[in-house]
Amino acid sequence: MERNGDVRAKRKQGPESRLDRPTKQLKPLGPENVEDDEVSENGALSLGGHEPEDTRLLPLASTTADSAEWQATIEAVVRNVVSIRFCQTCSFDTDSAIASEATGFVVDAERGYILTNRHVVGSGPFWGFCIFDNHEEVDVHAVYRDPVHDFGLLRFDPKAIKYMPVAALKLRPDLARVGSEIRVVGNDAGEKLSILSGVISRLDRNAPEYGEGYSDFNTNYIQAAAAASGGSSGSPVVNIDGYAIALQAGGRSDGATTDYFLPLDRPLRALKCIQEGRPVTRGTIQCQWLIKPFDECRRLGLTPELEEAVRVEFPKETGMLVAEIVLPEGPADSKIEEGDILIKVNGKLLTQFVRLDEILDSHVSQKVSMLVQRGGENLQIELDVGDLHAITPDRFVTVTGAAFHDLSYQQARLYVVPVKGVFVCEAAGSFKFDSTESGWIIQTIDQKPTPDLKTFIEVMKGIPDRARVVVMYKHLRDLHTLNTSILYIDRHWTSKMRMAIRNDDTGKWDFTDLADALPPKKPVPRKANFIRLDSVEHTAAADIVRSFVRISCTMPVKLDGFPRTRKIGYGVVVDAEKGLVVVSRAIVPFDLCDISITVADSIIVDGKVLFLHPLENYAIVQYDPSLVQAPVKSANLSAETIKQGASTIFMGFNQNLRVVVAKTTVTDITAVSVPTNPSAPRYRAINLDAITVDTNLSGECGSGVLVSEDGVVQALWLSYLGERSASTSKDIEYHLGLATPTLLPIIKQIQDGQIPKLRMLNVEANSVQMSQVRIMGVSEDWIRKVEEENPERHQLFMVRKVECGHEQHLQEGDVIISLNGKLITRISDFDVMYNNDFLDAVIVRRCEEMHIRVPTVPTDDLETDRAVIFCGAILHSPHHAVRQQISKLHSKVYVSARTRGSPAYQYGLFSTNFITAVNGIDTPDLEAFLQQVNKIPDNTYFRLKVVTFSNVPWVVTMKKNDHYFPTMEFIKDPSEPCGWKRQTYENGSLQKGVGSLPPEAMDETIDPVAEEG
């Protein structure tokens, strides 16, 4: 998507390089590589810095020769420190869904309060547990997360800890001093109780900037040399007396031993408020301040008289607070300007953030007076103090597969925009825009303004299912550009509109259904005309443009290892009267989807999947031709196979979906098998002849035809989904031609009202030349017959791989001579298998010629017809690509993908795993699996016996979470309007319908053990 100007945050950037930027000290769970269409959610990104790094560091204290006094202190402290394992279950505000681990420490043993970082607690739904030093585990829930500062409070049940006394660390922010020797006690780098030593070098550092995610501001930070790393977020920083004097928050990402600690003044105040049952009031004037040294303040206009007054009042201070960002339309807008120096608040000199926070927090909904100096001139201003909690979202709405909430103060400050608008926190489903970036603000829907979440909800209530509406939106990085898209509104796969509201008493987010979906409007016939290709020399060939329609396929759930949830391409109409269209399976991979068909770039109609070919990479879909009043032409498919060297006309659609035409020559027709994708098996074409042509356009076009001068279609030009590139992590697509004669029997059956029930040999074959087969034992007589049968290409076929799941009669390495008396010298000769239960085969096995009777296998069970979503994992029977790549099916419960931030992700249930048992009871299929997991109470541990793709058995323990990740099921059912029945299990009981599908941030990476194998 084009935007005006550079794409960047509006805020001023410091001179630090990206490598110099600090990081939050979370330890992410799961593989590091993510899908190119997914949001990176590892929780430990190198994020943006704001000011040059101070190099006045004191020497690193020894970590090996602690005194007896330090040893006694540490022994007392470690009993209060906990390792936190948690999930932020969905994207919200600045946070993406993650599963990670960090540190916290008990600050109230009687009530069970734990202090940790705000970037651990997160701004959205939190789910987790903590582990004490003696390895007792207890659930925790969030009771407070500060809107700005990097601290939050979790709560646990102290009575659940039975085998050790629970004690608390006392918070003493007043004991943080330059030169103090400290210890950071925490879960450093994921290791339990890592103890790092250091020395405080600064107390007045500005808050570190972490880039475009959450960042603290309007507070000073403590700087020290301690070399903490991933997992240490939330660690207590203690002195030799055992007091917590600061909270570990972040550190340098370039290898420097520099850490940043949050002072405990504001956490101590919040803790006291919660202990006393009082609200934690937080005030704001929507202005960010920075500590600037006196020399810089003088350059900004600080007068000598005021500098002297400040230095006399605060002899230890070396700087003052200077306005850095003033948000438009906020209380300080037009009253305070960037560069203003804060002198007094309510008549008193002020130089510290803590004192400013105290005043603002105690004056919510009241007024404060400020004296600022601007270019040497004193300005006395009066400001209304707003409620910081009111501009920090505590609710979100899910609808059409996406999630929304009001724009937060955090995001507004980051981009210097007013705190208003509807923010798309999960740009998925119908609201998955062309760009994969997050940061969209909805302006209008269906020509109706959406200034806030309440209005947005009312607008969405009035939009019927399957409607197409105009949506206008901006990106926070580029508010100059107003983007416009037409979106297809899905209220059938995700029929419920739900509101989630934070409940600080329970720690959960409570869900409420807002409105049922309005039924779709009845479609009406439309008129249109196709474009003309007057510049094409051959009129009959140019007329084939009337046989092309654009296909958009949207998939609500990722199945079969397919890496996308939306694909667009072109299909060829093969029967205009019946509305039959042939399209690549790289565009329509399975039938749990919505098909939109655009005719003549004008008429949009819904379609449905009729047939999916198991081997040859095409699907046949159908639309209602009565809705299309346009001169659609049925493509005339050739019954004769095009030959190598033949002249033909290539007509295709390039990446811009524009038609291109070139006269060309067939360069090769050869048997190919699309490469496997080891990390996530997905549909691939095998055992087919692929056509290549002598034009560069063929590589640019994923859809098209080869057509003769008289307008007869000789081949379809299709996209073939291949493997994922190890170097770029991009999915490779091959563009090849498929000769039309192989399609004709299938199309004829469908035209006659029959859905083809094909049978096949469950093998993958590759061509072998005569020099090879002679060595393998094929007789000279057979070689002579091959040369006579196929003078263009002397070849036979060898079994490369036998699929698992059926009795194996053919073996890998067998050379296939003939089937039912037909010499097999072309891939198309294998078509005899489609309509025969048995084949009489002549083969050569280990240099011995054999005559065997080979059964074919049905293809009915190759396509996924049932899927279960359990604890964030998508499960179904192993699809065809899995059977092609694996030697043994361990069960029919296969993990196809998993949701970031889910129990499946947190506890390490990898994609491509097979689940063989639940709590010791075998689960050979989905039905048995559901019977067992529905018996498991919510928030309870259970055991899964799992086998990896490399045949390695292991056991994973997992805790069930029905609140955020209910068990859902999709069952293919032709009687349903969508073709699939959807149902949800709540507390083990069956409920019809599906509330919220998992987000598109799915991980399909194979587990490390399997990858090594």
Side-chain angles (χ1 to χ4, degrees):
M1 183 175 297
E2 298 292 332
R3 294 198 188 90
N4 297 330
D6 294 334
V7 178
R8 60 177 64 137
K10 292 183 178 180
R11 56 202 336 230
K12 185 178 73 176
Q13 297 297 316
E16 296 177 3
S17 71
R18 186 170 181 83
L19 292 177
D20 291 334
R21 295 174 182 176
T23 59
K24 302 168 188 173
Q25 303 293 9
L26 296 177
K27 182 177 186 294
L29 303 178
E32 294 180 0
N33 295 330
V34 297
E35 301 292 330
D36 62 303
D37 66 328
E38 295 171 356
V39 177
S40 178
E41 297 168 344
N42 61 14
L45 301 176
S46 293
L47 301 169
H50 191 86
E51 62 179 40
E53 186 54 61
D54 190 285
T55 58
R56 299 181 288 114
L57 302 180
L58 297 178
L60 180 67
S62 170
T63 60
T64 59
D66 276 337
S67 66
E69 189 177 2
W70 263 118
Q71 289 178 0
T73 295
I74 291 170
E75 287 179 7
V77 168
V78 295
R79 292 195 295 268
N80 310 302
V81 178
V82 297
S83 173
I84 302 171
R85 313 290 174 85
F86 68 95
C87 293
Q88 294 172 5
T89 63
C90 64
S91 297
F92 186 85
D93 195 12
T94 59
D95 302 322
S96 298
I98 62 168
S100 187
E101 58 186 65
T103 306
F105 58 98
V106 179
V107 292
D108 186 328
E110 183 179 344
R111 298 177 178 86
Y113 290 124
I114 293 172
L115 179 64
T116 188
N117 290 125
R118 192 258 200 191
H119 69 257
V120 174
V121 179
S123 54
F126 171 95
W127 179 67
F129 60 91
C130 70
I131 300 173
F132 280 78
D133 182 49
N134 69 341
H135 290 273
E136 285 193 80
E137 177 184 320
V138 63
D139 290 340
V140 293
H141 64 267
V143 294
Y144 181 76
R145 66 268 285 167
D146 196 77
V148 170
H149 300 321
D150 197 5
F151 74 91
L153 289 167
L154 303 174
R155 193 170 192 180
F156 69 98
D157 181 4
K159 296 178 182 178
I161 305 301
K162 300 178 180 178
Y163 302 105
M164 64 173 282
V166 179
L169 284 181
K170 189 173 183 179
L171 306 184
R172 289 294 302 273
D174 56 304
L175 297 180
R177 301 185 181 98
V178 172
S180 295
E181 189 177 355
I182 51 98
R183 297 291 185 269
V184 180
V185 184
N187 182 31
D188 190 73
E191 299 295 330
K192 180 66 176 169
L193 289 179
S194 179
I195 301 166
L196 302 173
S197 60
V199 176
I200 292 177
S201 58
R202 288 184 64 180
L203 299 175
D204 58 352
R205 189 199 193 281
N206 282 303
E209 284 287 350
Y210 299 120
E212 296 193 8
Y214 163 77
S215 290
D216 200 348
F217 60 97
N218 281 352
T219 183
N220 59 293
Y221 263 63
I222 299 169
Q223 181 172 300
S229 57
S232 65
S233 283
S235 298
V237 180
V238 299
N239 67 2
I240 197 167
D241 297 318
Y243 293 119
I245 64 174
L247 178 68
Q248 163 71 22
R252 290 280 292 261
S253 60
D254 58 355
T257 58
T258 305
D259 282 88
Y260 306 126
F261 308 142
L262 177 71
L264 293 178
D265 305 84
R266 307 318 289 164
L268 178 58
R269 181 241 178 192
L271 176 62
K272 288 181 177 178
C273 288
I274 292 173
Q275 288 171 328
E276 296 168 4
R278 295 185 289 113
V280 185
T281 56
R282 296 287 277 116
T284 181
I285 57 171
Q286 297 185 27
C287 174
Q288 179 183 350
W289 306 86
L290 289 182
I291 303 170
K292 300 278 188 178
F294 280 120
D295 58 329
E296 188 168 349
C297 290
R298 285 193 294 271
R299 292 195 296 271
L300 290 169
L302 178 64
T303 60
E305 295 79 14
L306 280 176
E307 180 180 351
E308 180 180 4
V310 171
R311 286 183 180 270
V312 170
E313 181 79 14
F314 308 106
K316 293 185 179 181
E317 296 296 332
T318 59
M320 302 184 69
L321 300 184
V322 177
E324 174 75 1
I325 294 173
V326 179
L327 292 197
E329 302 180 24
D333 188 23
S334 74
K335 296 182 178 180
I336 296 177
E337 295 182 2
E338 293 80 359
D340 285 356
I341 304 168
L342 182 60
I343 307 298
K344 293 182 180 180
V345 179
N346 287 346
K348 294 183 179 180
L349 291 173
L350 187 147
T351 62
Q352 294 185 337
F353 282 117
V354 170
R355 181 58 188 145
L356 179 60
D357 264 355
E358 289 174 352
I359 295 172
L360 295 179
D361 291 348
S362 62
H363 286 77
V364 175
S365 301
Q366 301 177 44
K367 294 184 182 295
V368 295
S369 63
M370 287 188 175
L371 176 66
V372 299
Q373 197 163 76
R374 182 182 304 159
E377 179 183 354
N378 290 343
L379 296 174
Q380 186 71 43
I381 57 177
E382 190 174 64
L383 296 166
D384 294 313
V385 179
D387 184 356
L388 193 50
H389 293 299
I391 53 176
T392 302
D394 64 351
R395 63 196 62 205
F396 65 92
V397 167
T398 58
V399 63
T400 73
F404 309 82
H405 59 68
D406 285 317
L407 185 67
S408 70
Y409 183 35
Q410 275 284 338
Q411 295 277 23
R413 179 202 68 97
L414 185 63
Y415 297 99
V416 196
V417 298
V419 190
K420 65 179 183 180
V422 178
F423 178 73
V424 188
C425 58
E426 187 74 67
S430 297
F431 285 82
K432 186 176 178 65
F433 299 118
D434 292 338
S435 170
T436 58
E437 299 175 350
S438 59
W440 301 107
I441 301 292
I442 303 297
Q443 305 292 310
T444 68
I445 297 178
D446 199 21
Q447 314 300 334
K448 300 177 181 66
T450 53
D452 51 46
L453 190 63
K454 183 178 180 180
T455 306
F456 171 85
I457 292 170
E458 294 305 313
V459 171
M460 290 302 299
K461 285 180 180 179
I463 300 176
D465 183 28
R466 300 183 184 272
R468 290 174 173 85
V469 298
V470 177
V471 177
M472 304 184 79
Y473 52 99
K474 293 182 177 181
H475 198 279
L476 284 169
R477 292 200 205 101
D478 182 16
L479 295 176
H480 304 293
T481 303
L482 181 62
N483 304 280
T484 303
S485 292
I486 297 176
L487 302 186
Y488 171 78
I489 301 301
D490 162 26
R491 294 293 307 277
H492 45 279
W493 297 115
T494 54
S495 55
K496 295 181 180 179
M497 181 191 298
R498 307 182 80 194
M499 172 76 83
I501 300 178
R502 191 182 73 215
N503 185 332
D504 288 332
D505 293 329
T506 64
K508 294 182 178 180
W509 290 59
D510 299 327
F511 292 97
T512 305
D513 293 341
L514 296 181
D516 292 329
L518 297 178
K521 292 183 178 179
K522 185 178 180 180
V524 296
R526 303 286 185 185
K527 293 182 179 180
N529 284 301
F530 288 88
I531 62 170
R532 295 187 306 178
L533 301 179
D534 294 335
S535 59
V536 177
E537 179 179 354
H538 302 283
T539 305
D543 200 39
I544 195 65
V545 73
R546 295 197 289 123
S547 300
F548 281 108
V549 292
R550 188 164 70 243
I551 308 288
S552 174
C553 181
T554 304
M555 294 143 274
V557 179
K558 285 187 175 181
L559 300 180
D560 298 355
F562 194 75
R564 298 286 183 272
T565 55
R566 182 180 300 169
K567 288 288 287 186
I568 297 177
Y570 277 81
V572 176
V573 177
V574 294
D575 189 327
E577 291 185 0
K578 294 185 177 344
L580 301 180
V581 182
V582 179
V583 63
S584 167
R585 283 198 66 167
I587 298 169
V588 181
F590 45 80
D591 59 2
L592 180 59
C593 63
D594 285 334
I595 303 289
S596 294
I597 298 176
T598 305
V599 180
D601 291 328
S602 177
I603 305 170
I604 303 176
V605 293
D606 292 334
K608 63 179 180 179
V609 179
L610 292 183
F611 175 75
L612 297 163
H613 199 286
L615 303 177
E616 295 182 354
N617 192 54
Y618 69 86
I620 296 180
V621 300
Q622 185 179 38
Y623 65 91
D624 183 354
S626 67
L627 300 175
V628 178
Q629 297 178 1
V632 181
K633 177 184 177 182
S634 301
N636 182 11
L637 304 185
S638 174
E640 295 185 4
T641 302
I642 192 171
K643 303 293 185 182
Q644 183 178 5
S647 295
T648 187
I649 297 172
F650 176 85
M651 178 179 291
F653 290 83
N654 62 19
Q655 296 175 352
N656 296 322
L657 304 181
R658 300 288 297 173
V659 64
V660 292
V661 183
K663 195 158 187 178
T664 187
T665 302
V666 175
T667 55
D668 196 12
I669 303 175
T670 186
V672 300
S673 288
V674 174
T676 61
N677 184 56
S679 64
R682 64 269 190 111
Y683 176 85
R684 65 189 185 96
I686 63 170
N687 299 345
L688 78 160
D689 278 331
I691 300 171
T692 57
V693 292
D694 185 23
T695 173
N696 292 333
L697 293 178
S698 64
E700 301 173 4
C701 300
S703 305
V705 293
L706 301 181
V707 59
S708 64
E709 295 180 357
D710 59 359
V712 177
V713 175
Q714 300 163 307
L716 302 183
W717 198 254
L718 304 174
S719 291
Y720 293 75
L721 181 61
E723 73 278 21
R724 173 158 297 164
S725 168
S727 58
T728 64
S729 295
K730 300 288 186 181
D731 292 306
I732 298 173
E733 286 194 1
Y734 300 91
H735 301 153
L736 301 166
L738 177 68
T740 54
T742 186
L743 282 77
L744 295 176
I746 301 296
I747 295 172
K748 179 67 168 60
Q749 288 188 59
I750 294 176
Q751 288 173 326
D752 292 341
Q754 303 175 18
I755 301 301
K757 302 290 185 182
L758 303 183
R759 302 183 67 85
M760 69 175 193
L761 293 172
N762 60 327
V763 300
E764 180 178 344
N766 61 273
S767 62
V768 285
Q769 307 307 314
M770 295 301 97
S771 61
Q772 298 168 302
V773 300
R774 181 177 280 116
I775 298 171
M776 300 172 74
V778 176
S779 69
E780 295 297 324
D781 185 48
W782 281 120
I783 291 175
R784 179 183 56 80
K785 291 179 179 179
V786 168
E787 293 173 347
E788 294 174 354
E789 175 70 19
N790 188 355
E792 296 178 351
R793 182 152 296 180
H794 301 161
Q795 64 182 8
L796 286 170
F797 293 91
M798 181 188 73
V799 176
R800 176 182 174 274
K801 187 78 171 65
V802 179
E803 299 170 8
C804 67
H806 295 278
E807 185 179 355
Q808 298 182 358
H809 293 264
L810 292 172
Q811 298 180 11
E812 289 159 6
D814 288 352
V815 178
I816 299 174
I817 305 294
S818 68
L819 297 173
N820 282 3
K822 169 67 175 174
L823 194 61
I824 305 298
T825 66
R826 300 176 179 85
I827 279 290
S828 58
D829 294 335
F830 280 98
D831 289 358
V832 66
M833 65 184 176
Y834 289 137
N835 299 308
N836 285 283
D837 293 342
F838 292 90
L839 296 172
D840 294 318
V842 178
I843 65 170
V844 172
R845 178 180 297 165
R846 292 186 287 275
C847 294
E848 179 184 352
E849 184 175 314
M850 304 174 63
H851 294 254
I852 61 174
R853 186 170 173 81
V854 181
T856 57
V857 299
T859 61
D860 299 348
D861 65 341
L862 294 184
E863 304 300 335
T864 297
D865 59 5
R866 186 180 190 182
V868 172
I869 303 175
F870 174 74
C871 284
I874 296 182
L875 313 172
H876 53 68
S877 181
H879 52 287
H880 193 198
V882 173
R883 304 183 195 191
Q884 290 172 340
Q885 291 181 223
I886 202 168
S887 58
K888 179 182 178 181
L889 285 183
H890 304 287
S891 80
K892 291 187 177 181
V893 185
Y894 173 80
V895 183
S896 180
R898 57 183 186 170
T899 307
R900 300 290 173 102
S902 67
Y905 200 88
Q906 181 179 33
Y907 291 99
L909 183 64
F910 285 90
S911 303
T912 72
N913 285 170
F914 295 85
I915 299 174
T916 61
V918 176
N919 287 335
I921 300 175
D922 290 343
T923 53
D925 52 34
L926 289 174
E927 188 64 36
F929 177 82
L930 280 173
Q931 288 178 3
Q932 296 307 314
V933 297
N934 282 333
K935 298 176 183 177
I936 301 170
D938 188 26
N939 203 41
T940 302
Y941 274 108
F942 56 93
R943 304 186 317 278
L944 295 179
K945 189 175 181 181
V946 177
V947 181
T948 72
F949 207 76
S950 295
N951 304 321
V952 178
W954 64 295
V955 174
V956 57
T957 57
M958 187 184 301
K959 183 178 287 186
K960 194 176 184 184
N961 185 326
D962 281 335
H963 186 74
Y964 296 119
F965 298 95
T967 302
M968 293 182 281
E969 188 176 16
F970 288 77
I971 303 172
K972 191 170 182 178
D973 184 349
S975 67
E976 292 283 330
C978 296
W980 288 73
K981 179 170 63 176
R982 297 148 293 146
Q983 51 197 28
T984 303
Y985 295 88
E986 296 180 2
N987 299 319
S989 300
L990 183 63
Q991 307 289 328
K992 190 174 181 181
V994 172
S996 298
L997 291 174
E1000 295 179 16
M1002 305 295 294
D1003 173 70
E1004 301 134 2
T1005 307
I1006 201 167
D1007 64 276
V1009 175
E1011 195 165 9
E1012 291 171 1

